[in-house]
C-alpha cells in the first residue's frame, strides 16, 4: 500500500495522473461476490469506483486504472462494516491483477475488468468492553458477544460512550486506547476500548470570529451560553440554532477549545459568516373569482449591527376580480433577536391595508409590539399590544372602529417541511381581548388553526392531510365589530370551489361577516415522480351570526390539483367546484387557484 501511494504521488508530480488518453471501447466490467445477499451486493456495486466510472463514461485507461487500484480499499472498508474481516478481493484488468501493474506501465487499452470477491466468514464479537463508562450509559445492543462484528457497531459504541461523558460536562473526553484483535481461528473480533474522560468543565468565554458588521457582544447574547454553566453539547447545538435563526449569518459553527482553562472552564469559538445584508422577493397568486395578487418584499439583515431584521412588504390584490375591487397591503416589520433573554425576540410592526370586499370597503391602520418566546424547536408563544383603527363603508353607512388589543398566541409546529409537509402537525391558537373605542364595542376574538399530515407508509408518496379552523368574536354586536374581525367562508383559504368570502350572514337585513366560523379541509396527495404530484381535496365551511349560534349557513367544495416541485416549494394549481352552494351565492361553477406551496 505504501509503495502504491508513493507511486501515485510520483505520477502527480510528473503529470501522469491527468487523463490524456482518449476513451476506448471498454467491453465490460464484471462484478462478482459469491454468497453475498442481495442487499450487500447492491451496497458493494453502488460503492464500486469502477462501476461509477463506467456509468459516468470515464473509460480512458488512466481513469480506469486509478479506479481499479483504489477499488481494493473501498471494498474492504465496506466489508469490514458488514463484519467480513478475512475477504479476498481480486481486481483483474484484462486478466492481470490491478495491484501488480506498475503505475508507470499503465495499459494503453482496456477491454475487460473483472472484480471477484470471496467474502470469507462473517465474524462475531468475542470479548468486548468500553471503560470507563459514566453512570446511565446504554451501549448499542449489537455491541455484545455473539453479535455480527461490524466496524460500524464498534464506532457507534465508542461514540455513545464519549457522548455520554460529554453530555455531563466532560467536554474533552476522548479515546485513549483501542485494541481490536481479529481471531481468525474462531472468526471472532475482540474489542477493548479505553477512554479518558478528563475533568468536568464549565462554559468559559464565548469568542466570536468571522463577523464584519455584527457587534461581537450581540453574537454572545444571541448564542446565550452562560459563563459557568456545565458544558453540554446540546446547549452548543441550541446556540448555533439561535444564531442561524436570526437570518443574519450564512453559516454558524461553534467549536469547543481543545484545552481547558486553569479555572475549570473551556472557551467556545463562535465562527460565523455573515449573509448578504439585503434580499428581495416577489410572489403571485391567481384566483378565478377574487382575481390576482402580486406581492414583493425587501429585507435588510443586521440593520443596526445586532442581527436585527427590517422587512418591508407590499401587495396588491383583487386584480381583475369578479367582485369587489383593488386592495392593497403595506407592512413594515422590525425584529430584534435575544431581547430580554436569549430565547425572546422583539417585533415592532406598522401595517396599512385597503379592503375592498363583497360586503364592505375599509381602510385599516395598525401598530403592534410583540414579544415572541421560543420554548423548543416546536413550541413558541407570543404576547403583545395592537392598536388598530378602521374606517369602513357598509350597508350604506360609514363607521370608524378603534381597538386596543392584547393578543396571546401559541404555536406548536412539528412539520418536516413547512411548504410541503408529509409528516407532523401544526397547531396555532390566538386569544385577543380588546378594548373598543370610537364606534367599536369591546370584546374577545378567538382563532384556531390545526393541521395534520400522515404519510401512509410510502416515504412521502401518499400523504393524507387535514385541517380544522375555528373563529369567534365574543361580546360585541356585529354592527359594532370591525369588519376585519368578522368571519367569512369561501375561497382558497377556506372552501375552494366557492367564490372568495361568499358565505357570511345577514344582520338587520344587511349582508355581513359572522361572529362564528368553522372550517374543515382534507387532501390526499400522491407523488407521481420527483417533479409532479396530484391532489384530491374537499373543503367545508360554516358561518354564524353569533358565537356558533343564531343565523347560520354552510357551504362545501371539492376538486383536484397538480403540484410541480420547485426549489422554493411546490407550484400549486387547483380546480374546484361547489358541492353545496348556499342560497343566494352566484359565481362560476369552476374555480381556479394558482400559487406557491401547498394549500395548507
Amino acid at each position: 500500500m505504501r509503495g502504491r501511494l508513493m507511486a501515485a504521488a510520483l505520477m502527480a508530480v510528473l503529470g501522469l495522473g491527468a487523463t490524456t488518453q482518449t476513451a476506448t471501447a471498454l467491453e465490460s466490467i464484471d462484478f462478482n461476490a459469491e454468497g453475498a445477499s442481495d442487499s450487500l451486493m447492491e451496497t458493494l456495486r453502488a460503492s464500486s469506483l469502477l462501476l461509477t466510472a463506467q456509468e459516468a463514461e470515464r473509460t480512458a485507461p488512466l481513469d480506469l486504472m486509478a479506479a481499479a487500484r483504489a477499488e481494493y480499499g473501498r471494498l474492504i472498508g465496506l466489508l469490514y462494516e458488514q463484519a467480513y474481516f478475512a475477504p479476498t478481493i481480486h481486481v483483474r484488468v484484462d486478466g492481470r491483477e490491478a495491484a501488480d501493474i506498475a503505475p508507470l506501465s499503465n495499459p494503453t487499452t482496456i477491454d475487460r475488468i473483472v472484480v471477484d470477491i470471496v467474502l470469507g466468514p462473517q465474524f462475531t464479537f468475542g470479548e468486548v468492553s468500553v471503560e470507563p463508562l459514566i453512570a446511565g450509559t446504554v451501549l448499542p445492543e449489537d455491541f455484545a458477544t455473539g453479535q455480527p462484528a461490524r466496524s460500524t457497531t464498534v464506532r457507534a459504541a465508542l461514540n455513545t460512550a464519549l457522548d455520554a461523558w460529554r453530555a455531563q460536562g466532560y467536554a474533552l473526553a476522548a479515546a485513549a486506547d483501542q485494541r481490536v484483535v481479529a481471531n481468525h481461528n474462531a472468526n471472532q473480533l475482540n474489542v477493548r476500548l479505553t477512554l479518558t474522560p478528563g475533568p468536568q468543565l464549565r462554559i468559559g468565554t464565548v469568542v466570536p470570529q468571522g463577523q464584519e458588521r455584527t457587534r461581537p457582544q450581540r453574537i454572545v447574547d444571541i448564542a446565550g451560553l452562560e459563563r459557568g454553566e456545565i458544558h453540554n453539547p446540546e446547549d452548543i447545538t441550541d446556540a448555533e440554532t439561535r444564531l442561524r435563526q436570526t437570518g443574519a449569518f450564512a453559516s454558524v459553527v461553534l467549536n469547543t477549545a481543545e484545552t481547558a482553562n486553569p479555572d475549570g472552564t473551556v472557551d467556545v469559538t463562535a465562527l460565523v459568516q455573515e449573509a448578504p445584508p439585503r434580499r428581495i422577493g416577489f410572489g403571485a397568486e391567481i384566483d378565478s373569482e377574487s382575481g390576482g395578487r402580486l406581492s414583493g418584499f425587501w429585507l435588510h439583515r443586521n440593520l443596526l449591527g445586532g442581527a436585527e431584521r427590517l422587512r418591508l412588504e407590499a401587495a396588491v390584490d383583487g386584480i381583475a376580480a369578479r367582485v369587489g375591487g383593488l386592495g392593497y397591503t403595506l407592512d413594515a416589520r422590525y425584529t430584534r433577536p435575544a431581547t430580554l433573554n436569549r430565547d425572546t425576540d422583539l417585533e415592532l410592526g406598522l401595517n396599512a391595508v385597503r379592503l375592498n370586499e363583497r360586503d364592505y370597503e375599509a381602510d385599516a391602520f395598525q401598530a403592534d409590539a410583540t414579544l415572541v418566546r421560543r420554548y423548543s424547536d416546536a413550541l413558541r408563544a407570543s404576547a403583545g399590544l395592537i392598536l388598530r383603527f378602521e374606517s369602513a363603508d357598509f350597508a350604506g353607512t360609514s363607521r370608524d372602529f378603534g381597538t386596543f388589543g392584547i393578543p396571546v398566541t401559541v404555536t406548536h409546529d412539528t412539520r418536516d417541511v413547512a411548504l410541503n409537509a408529509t409528516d407532523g402537525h401544526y397547531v396555532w391558537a390566538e386569544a385577543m381581548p380588546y378594548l373598543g373605542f370610537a364606534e367599536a364595542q369591546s370584546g374577545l376574538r378567538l382563532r384556531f388553526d390545526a393541521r395534520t399530515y400522515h404519510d401512509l407508509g410510502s416515504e412521502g408518496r401518499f400523504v393524507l392531510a387535514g385541517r380544522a379552523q375555528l373563529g369567534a368574536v365574543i361580546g360585541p354586536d356585529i354592527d359594532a365589530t370591525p369588519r376585519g374581525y368578522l368571519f367569512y367562508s369561501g375561497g382558497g383559504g377556506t372552501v375552494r370551489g366557492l367564490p372568495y368570502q361568499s358565505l357570511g350572514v345577514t344582520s338587520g337585513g344587511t349582508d355581513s361577516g359572522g361572529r362564528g366560523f368553522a372550517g374543515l379541509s382534507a387532501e390526499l396527495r400522491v407523488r407521481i415522480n420527483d417533479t409532479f404530484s396530484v391532489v384530491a381535496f374537499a373543503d367545508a365551511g360554516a358561518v354564524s351570526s353569533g358565537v356558533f349560534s343564531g343565523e347560520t349557513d354552510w357551504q362545501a367544495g371539492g376538486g383536484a390539483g397538480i403540484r410541480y416541485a420547485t426549489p422554493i416549494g411546490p407550484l400549486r394549481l387547483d380546480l374546484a367546484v361547489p358541492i353545496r352552494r348556499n342560497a343566494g351565492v352566484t359565481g362560476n361553477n369552476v374555480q381556479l387557484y394558482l400559487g406557491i406551496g401547498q394549500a395548507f
Side-chain angles (χ1 to χ4, degrees):
M1 177 65 72
R2 182 178 178 184
R4 289 199 295 270
L5 290 173
M6 293 178 65
L10 179 60
M11 289 172 64
V13 171
L14 295 177
L16 298 177
T19 303
T20 57
Q21 295 169 282
T22 58
T24 60
L26 177 69
E27 293 182 0
S28 65
I29 296 179
D30 298 332
F31 197 96
N32 309 304
E34 186 176 351
S37 64
D38 291 342
S39 61
L40 177 56
M41 178 61 79
E42 183 178 351
T43 299
L44 291 169
R45 291 183 63 88
S47 302
S48 168
L49 297 173
L50 283 166
L51 293 178
T52 300
Q54 183 186 38
E55 184 177 351
E57 298 183 353
R58 297 195 306 269
T59 57
L62 282 178
D63 287 335
L64 291 174
M65 285 305 303
R69 293 189 179 96
E71 190 85 332
Y72 299 97
R74 171 62 67 91
L75 296 179
I76 202 167
L78 290 171
L79 292 172
Y80 283 177
E81 291 180 357
Q82 300 298 321
Y84 294 99
F85 289 93
T88 301
I89 301 174
H90 294 286
V91 180
R92 297 185 176 91
V93 179
D94 287 334
R96 300 168 61 195
E97 192 72 41
D100 296 335
I101 299 176
L104 300 181
S105 300
N106 287 316
T108 57
T109 61
I110 297 176
D111 296 323
R112 186 181 182 212
I113 299 176
V114 178
V115 179
D116 285 319
I117 303 172
V118 179
L119 296 176
Q122 188 177 45
F123 280 54
T124 59
F125 285 119
E127 298 179 2
V128 295
S129 67
V130 183
E131 296 178 345
L133 293 176
I134 197 168
T137 305
V138 179
L139 296 177
E141 294 182 357
D142 293 344
F143 189 66
T145 301
Q147 295 294 321
R150 296 182 173 89
S151 61
T152 52
T153 304
V154 178
R155 289 196 295 270
L158 176 61
N159 291 334
T160 298
L162 290 174
D163 288 345
W165 280 106
R166 291 166 182 163
Q168 298 300 318
Y170 297 84
L172 304 182
D177 186 34
Q178 301 181 51
R179 296 183 181 273
V180 181
V181 180
N183 184 338
H184 289 267
N185 293 327
N187 296 330
Q188 288 185 333
L189 193 72
N190 299 317
V191 180
R192 181 181 178 183
L193 306 177
T194 304
L195 312 180
T196 54
Q200 189 181 50
L201 300 173
R202 298 177 181 274
I203 296 292
T205 302
V206 177
V207 183
Q209 289 184 3
Q211 73 279 2
E212 297 178 0
R213 297 178 298 273
T214 312
R215 298 191 300 276
Q217 186 57 45
R218 287 294 293 154
I219 295 176
V220 174
D221 293 342
I222 297 167
L225 295 173
E226 296 292 338
R227 185 180 182 89
E229 288 185 346
I230 295 293
H231 186 285
N232 188 324
E234 185 175 336
D235 293 339
I236 301 296
T237 300
D238 291 343
E240 288 180 337
T241 299
R242 284 189 289 270
L243 286 165
R244 290 192 187 101
Q245 286 176 338
T246 66
F249 307 107
S251 68
V252 178
V253 178
L254 267 62
N255 294 316
T256 300
E258 296 181 357
T259 57
N261 300 318
D263 62 354
T265 64
V266 62
D267 295 339
V268 176
T269 299
L271 181 60
V272 300
Q273 179 184 356
E274 293 177 345
R278 296 171 186 84
R279 178 185 173 192
I280 60 173
F282 303 94
E285 296 182 23
I286 297 175
D287 181 322
S288 58
E289 191 74 18
S290 61
R293 184 177 192 272
L294 298 177
S295 61
F297 72 87
W298 178 86
L299 176 68
H300 194 301
R301 302 183 178 99
N302 203 7
L303 180 67
L304 303 175
E308 307 91 349
R309 295 190 305 274
L310 176 63
R311 180 184 175 104
L312 305 179
E313 187 168 359
V316 178
D317 54 37
I319 301 171
R322 294 181 179 274
V323 295
L326 285 176
Y328 69 84
T329 300
L330 300 174
D331 188 84
R333 190 150 301 273
Y334 167 85
T335 303
R336 183 182 188 272
T339 301
L340 300 185
N341 58 53
R342 64 189 184 186
D343 293 311
T344 303
D345 296 348
L346 170 66
E347 293 185 0
L348 303 175
L350 294 173
N351 179 274
V353 59
R354 160 65 64 89
L355 301 170
N356 199 335
E357 307 297 351
R358 185 185 301 268
D359 298 335
Y360 69 93
E361 294 180 359
D363 292 309
F365 307 92
Q366 176 178 298
D368 60 84
T370 307
L371 290 173
V372 181
R373 173 67 184 270
R374 291 180 300 274
Y375 291 94
S376 68
D377 290 341
L379 179 63
R380 65 178 55 198
S382 68
L385 303 173
I386 292 181
L387 180 63
R388 185 177 188 274
F389 185 82
E390 177 187 297
S391 180
D393 295 328
F394 62 98
T397 65
S398 295
R399 293 195 178 187
D400 295 331
F401 301 102
T403 59
F404 179 74
I406 305 176
V408 178
T409 67
V410 177
T411 305
H412 196 263
D413 188 355
T414 65
R415 293 174 295 179
D416 50 356
V417 180
L419 288 178
N420 191 19
T422 62
D423 186 58
H425 66 261
Y426 171 89
V427 178
W428 176 87
E430 179 194 63
M432 188 184 75
Y434 64 88
L435 177 67
F437 59 92
E439 297 178 78
Q441 296 177 354
S442 301
L444 171 66
R445 185 182 66 172
L446 302 173
R447 292 187 293 173
F448 176 80
D449 187 354
R451 311 172 192 182
T452 184
Y453 308 88
H454 182 62
D455 184 354
L456 302 178
S458 58
E459 297 184 354
R461 185 177 179 188
F462 296 93
V463 176
L464 188 62
R467 182 183 192 184
Q469 300 179 79
L470 294 172
V473 177
I474 301 173
D477 298 330
I478 285 182
D479 290 345
T481 301
R483 301 298 93 180
Y485 284 5
L486 297 174
F487 299 101
Y488 291 84
S489 179
T494 53
V495 179
R496 288 162 287 184
L498 278 299
Y500 175 68
Q501 292 197 351
S502 58
L503 178 61
V505 297
T506 301
S507 175
T510 301
D511 292 336
S512 168
R515 294 195 297 130
F517 167 73
L520 291 173
S521 298
E523 288 192 351
L524 177 62
R525 303 170 182 173
V526 181
R527 189 180 70 236
I528 304 301
N529 51 41
D530 291 340
T531 302
F532 288 98
S533 300
V534 294
V535 174
F537 58 85
D539 304 327
V543 178
S544 58
S545 59
V547 181
F548 308 114
S549 63
E551 179 186 324
T552 183
D553 201 354
W554 69 283
Q555 59 183 191
I562 190 168
R563 307 289 185 264
Y564 177 79
T566 73
I568 60 174
L571 179 64
R572 178 181 78 255
L573 174 63
D574 285 339
L575 294 176
V577 298
I579 296 176
R580 184 184 190 275
R581 187 194 296 271
N582 43 299
V585 174
T586 61
N588 289 345
N589 288 328
V590 178
Q591 304 286 335
L592 178 146
Y593 307 92
L594 178 65
I596 292 289
Q598 297 285 1
F600 61 86

